[in-house]
Amino acid sequence: MKVAVVQTRWADDPADGLRNAHQAIEEATESGDVDVLCFPEFFLGPPWYMPGQDHLRGRTDTRIPGPVIETFQKLAQSTSTNMVLGAIVEELDDGKYSNTSLFLDRDGEIAGRASKAHMFGNEIVVCRAADSLGIIETDVGRVGLAVCSDFWVPEAIRVMALAGVHTVFVPGGTLRQNQALMVNALRTTAYLNGVNVVYASSVGLVEGTRGDRVVQIHFAGTSLVVSPEGVMAQAGSARPQILHADLAPPPAHNDGRNWLAMRRPEAYAPLLGEYAGMSRDLAEELRSNLAEDAGQRQPSEAPATSRTGV
């Protein structure tokens, strides 16, 4: 499976971001032998709910399907290339949003999708979390989609591996302070789960105010293609770039390195049961406790006032 990873730079004007993405597709597929092309998270530009980006509301978010998606569907068809449309802020009917990644097949059809399940920052307020993982049947086999921070939750990738996924596509964005950690985490994930990981990132800076302080978010590229055996291709941290790599499904090892085969779920079965508090309404309990606490304090406060009067 030949993959191309497009590392993008966020443009000030979303129209430029869209145009750059189209040009990157033409450049990445001009050899004609790319099976899957992968974009990073928010490859059309920063979401409007990042600090200082409110002016992008209605510009970098879009409907799915919609006119913006149709332009990529036509390119997937004309180049006969599967595409992972990194992540797009999808506008939903109820006024909420979803951080959504699409898998387009070579005919331009939406073969699968994944929405981010583990929210980060302002997404917690603005977006709806998914309750399922992106496992997709394609003409290059069964693949997975893990949107950004979903990659950091170990069981998400493990579940995909156990379901027979051989390659996980991760549209994300490397924060500058996490750069070294990111590379190690991607390599470790591939090794421990016996899968290939194709990670796409962006470069650029987002700046704005939050409350009374200035917030800067630096994205440091470092797009990466890794197999369980190690790094196959890695981008730099300062400019747009296209990576190419040829991946085969990882072989099954019988030398003690197959971590999936070595699982012993019976040793940690209690973890699979209901956790304490699962069936409790903790918010309501907290409100009740606060009310009871206030009620218990009231009698003791009256004598205190009296004593003051004395």
Coordinates of all heavy atoms in Angstrom, one line a residue, residues 29-82:
T29 N -0.1 13.0 -6.2 CA -0.6 11.9 -7.1 C -0.1 11.9 -8.5 O -0.5 11.1 -9.3 CB -2.1 11.9 -7.1 OG1 -2.6 13.1 -7.6 CG2 -2.7 11.7 -5.7
E30 N 0.8 12.8 -8.8 CA 1.2 13.0 -10.2 C 2.0 11.7 -10.7 O 2.0 11.4 -11.9 CB 2.1 14.2 -10.4 CG 3.4 14.2 -9.6 CD 4.2 15.5 -9.8 OE1 3.7 16.4 -10.5 OE2 5.2 15.6 -9.2
S31 N 2.5 10.9 -9.7 CA 3.2 9.7 -10.1 C 2.1 8.6 -10.5 O 2.4 7.6 -11.1 CB 4.1 9.2 -9.0 OG 3.3 8.9 -7.9
G32 N 0.9 8.8 -10.0 CA -0.2 7.9 -10.3 C -0.3 6.6 -9.5 O -1.1 5.8 -9.8
D33 N 0.6 6.4 -8.5 CA 0.5 5.1 -7.8 C 0.3 5.3 -6.3 O 0.7 4.4 -5.6 CB 1.8 4.4 -8.1 CG 3.1 5.2 -7.6 OD1 2.9 6.3 -7.1 OD2 4.2 4.6 -7.6
V34 N -0.4 6.3 -5.9 CA -0.7 6.5 -4.5 C -2.1 5.8 -4.2 O -3.0 6.0 -4.9 CB -0.9 8.0 -4.1 CG1 -1.4 8.2 -2.7 CG2 0.5 8.7 -4.3
D35 N -2.0 4.9 -3.2 CA -3.3 4.2 -2.8 C -4.1 5.0 -1.8 O -5.3 5.1 -2.0 CB -2.9 2.9 -2.2 CG -2.3 1.9 -3.2 OD1 -2.9 1.7 -4.2 OD2 -1.2 1.4 -2.9
V36 N -3.5 5.6 -0.8 CA -4.2 6.4 0.2 C -3.4 7.7 0.4 O -2.2 7.7 0.7 CB -4.4 5.7 1.5 CG1 -5.3 6.5 2.4 CG2 -5.0 4.3 1.3
L37 N -4.1 8.8 0.3 CA -3.5 10.1 0.6 C -4.2 10.6 1.9 O -5.4 10.6 2.1 CB -3.7 11.1 -0.5 CG -3.2 12.5 -0.4 CD1 -2.9 13.0 -1.8 CD2 -4.2 13.5 0.2
C38 N -3.4 11.1 2.8 CA -3.9 11.5 4.2 C -3.6 13.0 4.5 O -2.4 13.4 4.4 CB -3.3 10.6 5.2 SG -3.9 10.9 6.9
F39 N -4.6 13.7 4.9 CA -4.4 15.1 5.3 C -4.5 15.2 6.9 O -5.0 14.3 7.5 CB -5.6 16.0 4.8 CG -5.4 16.4 3.4 CD1 -6.2 15.8 2.4 CD2 -4.6 17.4 3.0 CE1 -6.1 16.2 1.0 CE2 -4.4 17.9 1.7 CZ -5.2 17.2 0.7
P40 N -4.0 16.2 7.5 CA -4.0 16.4 8.9 C -5.4 16.9 9.4 O -6.3 17.2 8.7 CB -2.9 17.4 9.2 CG -2.7 18.1 8.0 CD -3.2 17.3 6.8
E41 N -5.5 17.0 10.7 CA -6.6 17.5 11.4 C -6.7 19.0 11.0 O -5.7 19.7 10.9 CB -6.5 17.4 12.9 CG -7.7 17.9 13.7 CD -7.5 17.8 15.2 OE1 -6.3 18.1 15.6 OE2 -8.5 17.6 15.9
F42 N -8.0 19.5 10.7 CA -8.2 20.9 10.4 C -7.4 21.4 9.2 O -6.8 22.5 9.3 CB -8.0 21.8 11.6 CG -8.7 21.4 12.9 CD1 -8.1 21.4 14.1 CD2 -10.0 21.0 12.8 CE1 -8.8 21.0 15.3 CE2 -10.7 20.6 13.9 CZ -10.1 20.6 15.2
F43 N -7.2 20.6 8.2 CA -6.3 20.9 7.1 C -6.9 22.1 6.3 O -6.1 22.7 5.5 CB -6.1 19.7 6.2 CG -7.3 19.3 5.4 CD1 -7.5 19.6 4.1 CD2 -8.3 18.5 6.0 CE1 -8.6 19.1 3.3 CE2 -9.5 18.1 5.3 CZ -9.6 18.4 4.0
L44 N -8.1 22.5 6.5 CA -8.6 23.7 5.8 C -8.3 25.0 6.5 O -8.6 26.1 6.0 CB -10.1 23.5 5.5 CG -10.5 22.4 4.6 CD1 -12.1 22.3 4.5 CD2 -9.9 22.5 3.2
G45 N -7.8 24.9 7.7 CA -7.6 26.0 8.6 C -8.0 25.8 10.0 O -8.8 24.9 10.2
P46 N -7.6 26.7 10.9 CA -8.0 26.4 12.3 C -9.5 26.6 12.5 O -10.1 27.3 11.8 CB -7.2 27.6 13.1 CG -6.7 28.5 12.0 CD -6.8 27.8 10.7
P47 N -10.0 25.8 13.5 CA -11.4 25.9 13.8 C -11.7 27.3 14.4 O -10.9 27.8 15.1 CB -11.7 24.7 14.7 CG -10.4 24.5 15.3 CD -9.3 24.8 14.3
W48 N -13.0 27.7 14.3 CA -13.3 29.0 14.8 C -13.3 29.1 16.4 O -13.2 30.2 16.9 CB -14.7 29.4 14.3 CG -15.8 28.5 14.7 CD1 -16.3 27.5 14.0 CD2 -16.6 28.5 16.0 NE1 -17.3 26.8 14.7 CE2 -17.5 27.4 15.9 CE3 -16.5 29.3 17.1 CZ2 -18.4 27.1 16.9 CZ3 -17.4 29.0 18.1 CH2 -18.3 28.0 18.1
Y49 N -13.3 27.9 17.0 CA -13.3 27.9 18.5 C -12.0 27.9 19.1 O -11.8 27.9 20.3 CB -14.2 26.8 19.0 CG -13.9 25.4 18.5 CD1 -12.8 24.7 18.8 CD2 -14.8 24.9 17.5 CE1 -12.6 23.4 18.3 CE2 -14.6 23.6 17.0 CZ -13.5 22.9 17.4 OH -13.2 21.7 16.8
M50 N -10.9 28.0 18.3 CA -9.6 28.2 18.9 C -9.4 29.7 19.2 O -10.1 30.6 18.7 CB -8.5 27.8 17.9 CG -8.2 26.3 17.8 SD -6.8 25.9 16.8 CE -6.6 24.2 17.1
P51 N -8.5 30.0 20.2 CA -8.3 31.4 20.6 C -8.0 32.4 19.4 O -7.2 32.1 18.6 CB -7.1 31.3 21.5 CG -7.1 29.9 22.0 CD -7.6 29.1 20.9
G52 N -8.8 33.4 19.3 CA -8.6 34.5 18.3 C -9.1 34.1 16.9 O -8.8 34.8 15.9
Q53 N -9.9 33.0 16.8 CA -10.2 32.6 15.4 C -11.7 32.7 15.2 O -12.3 32.1 14.2 CB -9.8 31.1 15.2 CG -8.4 30.8 15.5 CD -7.4 31.7 14.7 OE1 -7.6 31.8 13.5 NE2 -6.5 32.4 15.4
D54 N -12.4 33.5 16.0 CA -13.9 33.5 15.8 C -14.3 34.0 14.5 O -15.4 33.7 14.0 CB -14.5 34.4 16.9 CG -16.0 34.4 17.0 OD1 -16.5 33.2 17.3 OD2 -16.7 35.4 16.8
H55 N -13.5 34.8 13.8 CA -13.8 35.3 12.5 C -13.9 34.2 11.4 O -14.4 34.4 10.3 CB -12.8 36.3 12.0 CG -11.4 35.8 11.9 ND1 -10.6 35.4 12.9 CD2 -10.7 35.5 10.8 CE1 -9.5 34.9 12.5 NE2 -9.5 34.9 11.2
L56 N -13.5 33.0 11.8 CA -13.5 31.9 10.8 C -14.8 31.0 10.9 O -15.0 30.1 10.2 CB -12.3 31.0 11.0 CG -10.9 31.6 10.7 CD1 -9.8 30.6 11.0 CD2 -10.9 32.0 9.2
R57 N -15.7 31.5 11.8 CA -16.9 30.7 12.0 C -17.7 30.8 10.7 O -17.9 31.8 10.1 CB -17.8 31.3 13.1 CG -19.0 30.5 13.5 CD -19.6 30.9 14.8 NE -20.5 30.0 15.3 CZ -21.0 29.9 16.6 NH1 -20.4 30.8 17.5 NH2 -21.9 29.1 16.9
G58 N -18.1 29.6 10.2 CA -18.8 29.5 9.0 C -17.9 29.5 7.8 O -18.4 29.4 6.6
R59 N -16.6 29.5 8.0 CA -15.6 29.5 6.9 C -14.8 28.2 6.9 O -14.6 27.6 5.8 CB -14.8 30.7 6.9 CG -15.6 32.0 6.9 CD -14.6 33.2 6.7 NE -14.0 33.2 5.4 CZ -13.0 33.9 5.0 NH1 -12.4 34.7 5.9 NH2 -12.5 33.8 3.8
T60 N -14.2 27.8 8.0 CA -13.5 26.6 8.1 C -14.3 25.4 8.5 O -13.9 24.3 8.6 CB -12.2 26.7 9.0 OG1 -12.6 27.1 10.3 CG2 -11.2 27.6 8.4
D61 N -15.6 25.7 9.0 CA -16.5 24.6 9.3 C -17.4 24.4 8.0 O -17.6 25.4 7.3 CB -17.3 24.8 10.5 CG -17.9 26.2 10.6 OD1 -17.2 27.1 11.0 OD2 -19.1 26.3 10.1
T62 N -17.9 23.2 7.9 CA -18.7 23.0 6.7 C -19.7 21.8 6.9 O -19.6 21.1 7.9 CB -17.8 22.6 5.5 OG1 -18.6 22.5 4.3 CG2 -17.1 21.3 5.7
R63 N -20.6 21.7 6.0 CA -21.6 20.6 6.0 C -21.0 19.4 5.3 O -20.2 19.5 4.4 CB -22.9 21.0 5.3 CG -23.7 22.1 6.1 CD -24.6 21.5 7.1 NE -25.4 22.5 7.8 CZ -26.4 22.2 8.6 NH1 -26.7 20.9 8.8 NH2 -27.1 23.1 9.2
I64 N -21.4 18.2 5.8 CA -21.0 17.0 5.1 C -22.3 16.2 4.8 O -23.0 15.8 5.7 CB -20.1 16.1 6.0 CG1 -18.8 17.0 6.3 CG2 -19.7 14.8 5.3 CD1 -17.9 16.3 7.3
P65 N -22.6 15.9 3.5 CA -21.9 16.4 2.4 C -22.2 17.8 2.1 O -23.1 18.4 2.7 CB -22.5 15.5 1.2 CG -23.9 15.2 1.7 CD -23.8 15.0 3.2
G66 N -21.4 18.4 1.2 CA -21.5 19.8 0.9 C -20.6 20.2 -0.2 O -19.8 19.4 -0.7
P67 N -20.6 21.5 -0.6 CA -19.8 21.9 -1.8 C -18.3 21.7 -1.6 O -17.6 21.3 -2.5 CB -20.1 23.4 -1.9 CG -21.5 23.5 -1.3 CD -21.5 22.5 -0.1
V68 N -17.8 21.9 -0.4 CA -16.3 21.7 -0.2 C -16.0 20.3 -0.3 O -15.0 19.9 -1.0 CB -15.9 22.3 1.2 CG1 -14.5 21.9 1.6 CG2 -16.1 23.8 1.3
I69 N -16.8 19.4 0.3 CA -16.5 18.0 0.2 C -16.6 17.5 -1.2 O -15.8 16.6 -1.7 CB -17.5 17.2 1.1 CG1 -17.4 17.7 2.5 CG2 -17.1 15.7 1.1 CD1 -16.0 17.6 3.2
E70 N -17.5 18.0 -2.0 CA -17.7 17.6 -3.4 C -16.4 17.9 -4.2 O -16.1 17.1 -5.1 CB -18.9 18.3 -4.0 CG -20.2 17.8 -3.4 CD -21.4 18.7 -3.9 OE1 -21.1 19.6 -4.7 OE2 -22.5 18.4 -3.5
T71 N -15.7 19.0 -3.9 CA -14.5 19.2 -4.7 C -13.4 18.1 -4.4 O -12.7 17.8 -5.4 CB -13.8 20.6 -4.3 OG1 -13.4 20.6 -2.9 CG2 -14.8 21.7 -4.4
F72 N -13.4 17.6 -3.2 CA -12.4 16.5 -3.0 C -12.9 15.2 -3.5 O -12.1 14.4 -4.0 CB -12.2 16.4 -1.4 CG -11.4 17.5 -0.9 CD1 -12.0 18.6 -0.2 CD2 -10.0 17.6 -1.0 CE1 -11.3 19.6 0.3 CE2 -9.3 18.6 -0.5 CZ -9.9 19.7 0.2
Q73 N -14.2 15.0 -3.6 CA -14.7 13.8 -4.1 C -14.4 13.7 -5.6 O -14.0 12.6 -6.2 CB -16.2 13.7 -3.9 CG -16.6 13.5 -2.5 CD -18.1 13.4 -2.3 OE1 -18.8 14.4 -2.4 NE2 -18.7 12.3 -1.9
K74 N -14.5 14.8 -6.3 CA -14.1 14.9 -7.7 C -12.6 14.6 -7.9 O -12.2 13.9 -8.9 CB -14.5 16.2 -8.3 CG -16.0 16.5 -8.4 CD -16.3 17.9 -8.9 CE -17.8 18.1 -9.0 NZ -18.1 19.5 -9.4
L75 N -11.8 15.1 -7.0 CA -10.3 14.9 -7.2 C -10.0 13.4 -6.9 O -9.1 12.8 -7.5 CB -9.6 15.8 -6.2 CG -9.5 17.3 -6.7 CD1 -8.9 18.2 -5.6 CD2 -8.6 17.3 -8.0
A76 N -10.7 12.8 -5.9 CA -10.4 11.4 -5.6 C -10.8 10.6 -6.8 O -10.1 9.6 -7.1 CB -11.3 11.0 -4.4
Q77 N -11.9 10.9 -7.5 CA -12.3 10.2 -8.6 C -11.3 10.4 -9.8 O -10.9 9.4 -10.5 CB -13.7 10.6 -9.0 CG -14.3 9.7 -10.1 CD -15.7 10.2 -10.4 OE1 -16.1 11.3 -10.3 NE2 -16.6 9.2 -10.8
S78 N -11.0 11.6 -10.1 CA -10.1 11.9 -11.2 C -8.7 11.4 -11.1 O -8.1 11.0 -12.1 CB -10.1 13.4 -11.5 OG -9.4 14.1 -10.4
T79 N -8.2 11.3 -9.8 CA -6.9 10.7 -9.6 C -6.9 9.2 -9.2 O -5.9 8.6 -9.0 CB -6.2 11.5 -8.5 OG1 -6.9 11.4 -7.3 CG2 -6.0 13.0 -8.8
S80 N -8.1 8.7 -9.0 CA -8.3 7.3 -8.6 C -7.5 7.0 -7.3 O -6.7 6.0 -7.3 CB -7.9 6.3 -9.7 OG -8.2 5.0 -9.4
T81 N -7.7 7.9 -6.4 CA -6.9 7.8 -5.1 C -7.9 7.8 -3.9 O -8.7 8.6 -3.8 CB -5.9 9.0 -5.0 OG1 -5.1 9.0 -6.1 CG2 -5.1 8.8 -3.7
N82 N -7.6 6.9 -3.0 CA -8.4 6.9 -1.7 C -7.8 8.1 -0.9 O -6.6 8.4 -1.0 CB -8.1 5.7 -0.9 CG -8.7 4.4 -1.5 OD1 -9.9 4.3 -1.7 ND2 -7.8 3.5 -1.9

